[in-house]
Amino acid sequence: MSNTTATVAGVEVSTEHWIGGRRAGSAGGATFDDVSPIDERVIARVARGGEPEARAAVAAAREAFASWAAPAPEERARVLHAVADGVEKRVEDLAVVETTDNGSLLRSHRRSVMPRVAHNFRFFADELLALRHDDFDTRGHTNHVRWDPAGVAVVITPWNAPLMLATWRVAPALAAGDCVVLKPPEWAPLTASLLADIAAEAGLPSGVLNVVQGIGEEAGAALVAHPDVDRVAFTGSVMTGRLVAARAGANLTPVSLELGGKSPMVVFADADLNAAVDQAIGQFDNAGQVCLAGTRLLVESSVHDAFVERFVERASRIVQGDPRQETTGIGPQITREHLERVDGFVRRAVADGAEVLLGGGPNQDLGGLYYRPTLLANAKPGSEILTQEVFGPVLTIQPFVDEDEAVAAGNSTEYGLAAIVYTGSHERAERVSARLVAGTVWVNCFFVRDLRAPFGGSASSGIGREGGPWSFDFYSDVKNVCSAPTGWRDRNART
């Protein structure tokens, strides 16, 4: 391990920033330790950027903007497909590095997460070429809609799915013709560094993609507040999202915010109960560190007890341990601080009268950062455990009598990111989905994501929608050109 590179799971990773097409350390050689949650071992000492690095990266992006915005969309699409090719060639490297870095399951990274990274680039490359709006007529005048590149986009991403969530924003920004400064999460920054290498090898010009590593309050804050930034996309907590919006707002910089969630999973008596139980257990995915997760199980009273019995029996069989093992179903929390935060939520809930039906604390057999999958019942209405995001493997369960009570409970938090509804009635699914406050409602399924669909949060869960044309609406300056039917002249004609 050095101050410029680290070898992680056999893969060499640069720990320096990527600014203007070259590697760069931080002013004064400042670094921070990157700790693997698997065993709490320091795996890299990473360059710790701040205001100087933020200024340099934004300047590099601004300098590269004109040349990246100018080519035909087909050329930008070609380069993005080349980036996707590079990702596909390095899926194994990306998978093992990210698992070591953030503790997510290796099998998931190999089979779905890293292939999705490549798909993000391919989709938005193709969507760029399909982007159009029919011209329309106004009293003989022709209106033509354009999506012009906006400029410099800052993308700040979280640690629970660092590369996939980064490229969900980076890919459409690049496709739109913007240049990007990416600030990866300090708790899992390494695959962003590998992405910089892959993009350069694919032919992405210098300065078009920059990576500034560092602490959010330092590097992130400096990037968001920079007056020469044209777009800010942030994924993270509601509290931090409010700070991002305020700092960007000082420059009237448009923001896209995907923030926290406390999603309900509503199960009606006419649902396929076994399927619903299996889906509920799936909410422990990624050790509960998923903003979309349906952590509040709302189950119709007539099937509540049967649901609980099946859930506890099946969830008790989840294998917890090293996420690099194929048989592991749930890995560690990201840091010691985060594990203690999760445990604090559970301890306070129990002290307030909640009943532990499953789990309820750290896994003493494993030690380290492993928290047992937990189910709590009988929490008081309006209590912290029912209203605040825990972001760990902690679910609550509440019975309800009818649709009105289910919807009221589903909408009883400040969040509105997602919701899950299980029912055998199409009519009920339509009624309940319409009444739930959520950016996405999944009916008899979960986490089916099509990049053509709009995605974002309602209420305190975010601002804006991305995906398909909505992404281009954000990362572009959308312009209407209205032309009169007369007045054209042949330049060769006499005037």
Side-chain angles (χ1 to χ4, degrees), residues 434-445:
R435 297 174 65 191
L436 289 171
V437 177
T440 301
V441 179
W442 282 285
V443 177
N444 295 334
C445 61

Side-chain angles (χ1 to χ4, degrees), residues 20 35 105 171 219 232 239 283 288 297 299 309 313 326 343 382 393 418 434 459:
V35 177
L105 300 185
V232 172
M239 180 176 66
Q283 305 311 299
L297 308 179
V299 182
E309 181 180 359
E313 190 276 326
E326 186 73 15
D343 193 43

Side-chain angles (χ1 to χ4, degrees), residues 378-454:
N378 300 322
K380 294 178 181 177
S383 61
E384 176 191 64
I385 197 66
L386 295 179
T387 58
Q388 298 301 308
E389 185 177 41
V390 177
F391 218 61
V394 179
L395 309 182
T396 60
I397 190 162
Q398 301 166 261
F400 66 84
V401 175
D402 55 25
E403 282 184 28
D404 287 342
E405 187 176 356
V407 170
N411 291 338
S412 63
T413 75
E414 67 173 307
Y415 300 97
L417 187 57
I420 307 167
V421 177
Y422 264 75
T423 178
S425 167
H426 179 71
E427 292 76 14
R428 171 178 283 141
E430 287 192 338
R431 289 194 305 270
V432 173
S433 296
R435 297 174 65 191
L436 289 171
V437 177
T440 301
V441 179
W442 282 285
V443 177
N444 295 334
C445 61
F446 177 62
F447 217 29
V448 178
R449 291 282 299 275
D450 190 315
L451 291 181
R452 294 171 295 181

